[in-house]
Amino acid sequence: MTHEQKNILSVRDMEREEIDKLLCSAAAFDRGNFTGHELDGKLLAVLFFEPSTRTRMSFSSAMMRLGGKILNLGSVEATSITKGETLSDTIRVISGYADAIVLRHPKEGAARLASEVATVPVINGGDGAGQHPSQTLLDLYTIRESMRIENIDVGMQGDLRYGRTVHSLAFALSKYNNVRLHAIAPEGLDFPSHIKEDLHDAGVELIIHDNIEDALPELDVLYVTRLQRERFPDPVAFANYASTYRITPALLECAKPNMIVLHPLPRVDEIDPAVDALPCAKYFEQAHNGVPVRMAMLNEVMN
Amino acid sequence: MVRTISDGIVISPIKNGTVIDHITPGEGLTVIRILGIEDGTNVTFTVASNVVSSRGGRKDMVKIENRELLKDEVDKIALVAPYASISIIRDFKVSVKKPVGVPKEIVGVIKCPNPNCITNTKEPVKSKFVAHPRGFRCQYCDSIISREMDIGDYI
Ligand SMILES: Nc1ncnc2c1ncn2[C@@H]1O[C@H](COP(=O)(O)OP(=O)(O)O)[C@@H](O)[C@H]1O
Ligand SMILES: [Zn+2]
């Protein structure tokens, strides 16, 4: 790792000031304040060892909008990785081909390892069940575009046990003043105790709710996540919960008028498509925000 | 004769080496494992297990001949035996006492409990844990080994 090398590996180890700086720069890009030549002549290596459409495409889109070019890994099957090359060796080699690397990898901590052996900046594009900073930053950005990230109540609904997006977002929010978290999860899929303890250490107030109806009137943000069938003890438990787990226009009637609904997408049945037309539905905007946020990240590490 | 006699155990005096006393009962062999001096190496060591301690309760004790522990080895021992006392013996006498201290960072000692952690693959990387209010956190995957878990199982 070189001294000036700037990586973005985890929102957890970023200072609040660094986060705000990225969000500010994302806002500028979002409003069209850029020339499109910021990253002229730069090459970004996009190394995805796991399938992904949105993260990969939005990083590519962000890079190209700033005038840079993309080097794609291509399918993993066709590479030397299947010949047993270590990630460390792959990264060392690719460091010589590009000006920065975006890595998506199935193992937790892969991006940190990559940053240690790389000679160019590394951006974590998601590592296993671990960190996914560009998702967290775009979540924060979307909230910030609707309200101040201060003195707000944020509800998190769904699989809070295994959902990495909610864990990262919860930690990121803990860096802001007076943000209360509300957990709405099926039995057994609540926040793991070590996360609760960490949030407690970070001074976050965490309120656990039995059902969405109780929580909803208090919320400024409702962050909905997808439920995965395999996380439930049996199909009956899943069917029972899933049938009640649906955000509908009727349910949203008891929400505050300015509350926003977010979802990392893809959604399945947890948000009724009839919600899409309501002003509170911000999840597609949230997905679009992935581009300016990733432009800010790329500009930060390469400029 | 050494004072361990008063503790009611037989551990013969050594001329030069290290004595690790007041090890948490049951962790004596873990200490040996941490130090990497199991069978097969040419280091002579003795482990006394579950002996009555003069401080009350029970303890394990380890005696290693002709080897003086270094600072980072002492730190590793603190992981499983935070109350241990370490004495360097020279010419049958206690020459230096080394306090154990819980290290801030432990490299290459703990195996990460997360099977999906990058440090548990064939990558050429050493595990790295940093002190955390409730134990130690993996620098790679953020997993925590809490004090309630038996750290010795991950060494
Ligand atoms: N020559 C020796 N050979 C083996 N063990 C020794 C020797 N000298 C001291 N010890 C042991 O080292 C530990 C520390 O010794 P000492 O400082 O005298 O006792 P304590 O720490 O109990 O006050 C004790 O467990 C003692 O029995
Ligand atoms: Zn780990």
Side-chain angles (χ1 to χ4, degrees), chain B residues 34 74-82 101-103 106 109-110 136 151-152 155:
Chain B
I34 293 174
V74 170
D75 288 350
K76 288 181 194 173
I77 291 169
L79 293 177
V80 291
V102 176
I106 312 143
V109 178
I110 301 177
F136 293 93
I151 294 182
I155 294 177

Side-chain angles (χ1 to χ4, degrees), chain B residues 2-4 12-14 19 21 61 63 87 89 92 94 97:
Chain B
V2 287
R3 262 183 288 156
T4 45
S12 56
I14 56 172
V19 175
D21 199 359
M61 234 181 122
K63 185 184 71 174
S87 308
I89 311 293
F92 292 106
V94 176
K97 288 213 169 227

Side-chain angles (χ1 to χ4, degrees), chain B residues 56-74:
Chain B
R58 298 201 171 245
K59 65 177 185 183
D60 282 11
M61 234 181 122
V62 167
K63 185 184 71 174
I64 305 155
E65 282 178 50
N66 297 321
R67 172 150 162 193
E68 299 191 357
L69 295 191
L70 304 169
K71 166 95 178 80
D72 64 322
E73 293 177 312
V74 170

Side-chain angles (χ1 to χ4, degrees), chain B residues 112 117 119 138 141:
Chain B
C112 184
C117 177
T119 60
C138 173
C141 75

Side-chain angles (χ1 to χ4, degrees), chain A residues 23 36 60 118-119 129 152-153 156 189 207 246 265 270 272 281 289:
Chain A
L23 300 182
S60 306
T119 51
I152 54 173
D153 286 83
M156 299 183 157
L189 292 182
I207 302 131
R246 193 169 163 84
L265 302 181
E270 54 285 351
D272 183 341
N289 288 339

Side-chain angles (χ1 to χ4, degrees), chain A residues 193-270:
Chain A
S193 54
H194 68 94
I195 300 258
K196 282 188 190 163
E197 285 166 357
D198 281 351
L199 290 173
H200 180 265
D201 290 350
V204 176
E205 191 182 337
L206 176 66
I207 302 131
I208 314 283
H209 296 270
D210 292 335
N211 58 64
I212 178 79
E213 288 81 1
D214 290 348
L216 205 51
E218 296 181 47
L219 304 181
D220 300 293
V221 177
L222 173 62
Y223 196 98
V224 185
T225 63
R226 199 156 50 93
L227 287 182
Q228 285 166 292
R229 194 181 302 263
E230 58 274 18
R231 301 296 192 201
F232 282 79
D234 56 80
V236 179
F238 175 75
N240 280 345
Y241 194 82
S243 64
T244 62
Y245 182 71
R246 193 169 163 84
I247 305 298
T248 59
L251 178 70
L252 290 171
E253 269 167 27
C254 67
K256 288 187 196 170
N258 294 325
M259 188 195 79
I260 61 170
V261 180
L262 303 181
H263 190 301
L265 302 181
R267 74 170 147 181
V268 188
D269 292 321
E270 54 285 351

Side-chain angles (χ1 to χ4, degrees), chain A residues 39 41-45 63-64 67-71:
Chain A
L39 296 179
K42 302 276 187 194
L43 274 173
L44 176 68
M63 186 64 184
M64 293 197 265
K69 294 198 168 71
I70 304 290
L71 276 176

Side-chain angles (χ1 to χ4, degrees), chain A residues 20-299:
Chain A
D20 284 340
K21 187 174 164 232
L22 281 173
L23 300 182
C24 268
S25 119
F29 290 129
D30 201 7
R31 287 163 184 65
N33 291 332
F34 63 102
T35 60
H37 299 290
E38 282 77 359
L39 296 179
D40 267 355
K42 302 276 187 194
L43 274 173
L44 176 68
V46 179
L47 302 189
F48 275 54
F49 292 87
E50 260 185 351
S52 145
T53 359
R54 303 158 216 276
T55 308
R56 190 166 51 77
M57 285 187 72
S58 59
F59 266 116
S60 306
S61 163
M63 186 64 184
M64 293 197 265
R65 282 184 193 275
L66 292 175
K69 294 198 168 71
I70 304 290
L71 276 176
N72 258 305
L73 171 70
S75 83
V76 172
E77 296 71 41
T79 64
S80 47
I81 288 101
T82 41
K83 296 180 190 138
E85 186 179 53
T86 61
L87 175 66
S88 310
D89 281 2
T90 305
I91 295 291
R92 275 196 193 93
V93 171
I94 290 179
S95 278
Y97 299 168
D99 299 292
I101 295 172
V102 178
L103 177 72
R104 158 74 60 97
H105 197 275
K107 296 281 176 185
E108 284 104 67
R112 187 169 301 275
L113 170 66
S115 74
E116 289 169 355
V117 296
T119 51
V120 295
V122 173
I123 294 178
N124 186 359
D127 55 350
Q131 299 291 326
H132 191 0
S134 63
Q135 177 70 46
T136 307
L137 289 167
L138 75 88
D139 292 343
L140 285 176
Y141 179 73
T142 310
I143 298 174
R144 192 175 179 272
E145 285 292 282
S146 298
M147 64 194 79
R148 280 172 70 95
I149 311 182
E150 190 174 83
N151 204 14
I152 54 173
D153 286 83
V154 179
M156 299 183 157
Q157 187 188 25
D159 177 359
L160 306 184
R161 185 169 182 81
Y162 302 99
R164 66 175 174 188
T165 52
V166 287
H167 298 168
S168 301
L169 180 59
F171 283 115
L173 288 169
S174 76
K175 297 175 195 280
Y176 289 84
N177 298 331
N178 207 10
V179 175
R180 281 165 303 280
L181 296 181
H182 299 255
I184 309 129
E187 211 179 312
L189 292 182
D190 191 11
F191 279 118
S193 54
H194 68 94
I195 300 258
K196 282 188 190 163
E197 285 166 357
D198 281 351
L199 290 173
H200 180 265
D201 290 350
V204 176
E205 191 182 337
L206 176 66
I207 302 131
I208 314 283
H209 296 270
D210 292 335
N211 58 64
I212 178 79
E213 288 81 1
D214 290 348
L216 205 51
E218 296 181 47
L219 304 181
D220 300 293
V221 177
L222 173 62
Y223 196 98
V224 185
T225 63
R226 199 156 50 93
L227 287 182
Q228 285 166 292
R229 194 181 302 263
E230 58 274 18
R231 301 296 192 201
F232 282 79
D234 56 80
V236 179
F238 175 75
N240 280 345
Y241 194 82
S243 64
T244 62
Y245 182 71
R246 193 169 163 84
I247 305 298
T248 59
L251 178 70
L252 290 171
E253 269 167 27
C254 67
K256 288 187 196 170
N258 294 325
M259 188 195 79
I260 61 170
V261 180
L262 303 181
H263 190 301
L265 302 181
R267 74 170 147 181
V268 188
D269 292 321
E270 54 285 351
I271 302 180
D272 183 341
V275 175
D276 299 358
L278 303 178
C280 68
K282 294 284 186 196
Y283 30 90
F284 290 115
E285 199 175 306
Q286 180 188 2
H288 298 159
N289 288 339
V291 176
V293 165
R294 290 177 175 115
M295 286 164 87
M297 294 170 78
L298 293 169
N299 191 53

